[in-house]
Amino acid sequence: MLSLTTAKALREAGLAWTPQNLDFFAIPMAEFENQVFAINDMTVLAESLYGQPAITFHGTVEWALDHLWLGEVIWLPREEQLRELLEERLLGEQQPAMTLETSRYGYRCMVAWQGEVLVFEAFDASEAYAEALLHTLLT
């Protein structure tokens, strides 16, 4: 799973999030440190409150929370979401525009970006994809 640090960097680089069922997110507050939440049809919903996007809690999952505004939570994209977002950014690049392979460090993501082949290595495939995506967002 993507680290909170990397997820924050993606958000700061301008990665937009439209919450969907089964998306993961974190609440950057000390009392929720190291807890990951998921949007689902039963207890945590993405909906509009007073015309603003919000995450609402229903039932007993988080009894102390009623809702949080979307800007108060950090999206933790899954590996396939990161791959799809990266593929969208790489449209029009030379083929193959992206490859993922195992390495002695975990995973190596290679992308063709603006005429160069760039390499991003991480222990987790999500982190490797995210580092490549972050690079494309910042350049």
Side-chain angles (χ1 to χ4, degrees):
M1 177 168 281
L2 192 64
S3 71
L4 183 58
T5 301
T6 304
K8 284 180 181 178
L10 287 168
R11 182 171 82 170
E12 289 169 6
L15 183 63
W17 177 35
T18 302
Q20 303 291 321
N21 198 37
L22 303 180
D23 279 355
F24 294 112
F25 66 93
I27 302 170
M29 296 177 185
E31 58 267 34
F32 298 107
E33 188 175 345
N34 298 320
Q35 291 188 38
V36 174
F37 298 86
I39 296 175
N40 61 61
D41 293 334
M42 298 291 289
T43 57
V44 181
L45 301 171
E47 56 189 346
S48 179
L49 288 178
Y50 312 108
Q52 298 294 318
I55 303 295
T56 61
F57 297 84
H58 303 270
T60 60
V61 172
E62 284 306 326
W63 56 268
L65 292 175
D66 179 38
H67 70 276
L68 291 167
W69 301 116
L70 191 59
E72 296 177 297
V73 300
I74 306 292
W75 178 33
L76 301 169
R78 298 182 308 273
E79 179 182 336
E80 74 274 8
Q81 291 172 312
L82 290 162
R83 185 178 55 249
E84 289 170 8
L85 289 163
L86 184 54
E87 287 171 345
E88 289 173 13
R89 302 279 301 166
L90 297 175
L91 286 175
E93 293 290 337
Q94 67 185 31
Q95 295 299 317
M98 173 182 56
T99 60
L100 181 74
E101 56 188 42
T102 59
S103 74
R104 66 182 188 183
Y105 302 108
Y107 292 90
R108 178 181 301 121
C109 179
M110 293 179 286
V111 297
W113 180 249
Q114 299 178 345
E116 294 183 67
V117 176
L118 306 173
V119 178
F120 302 90
E121 290 193 86
F123 181 73
D124 183 87
S126 296
E127 290 288 334
Y129 281 137
E131 291 300 324
L133 179 60
L134 186 58
H135 181 83
T136 68
L137 290 167
L138 294 173
T139 57

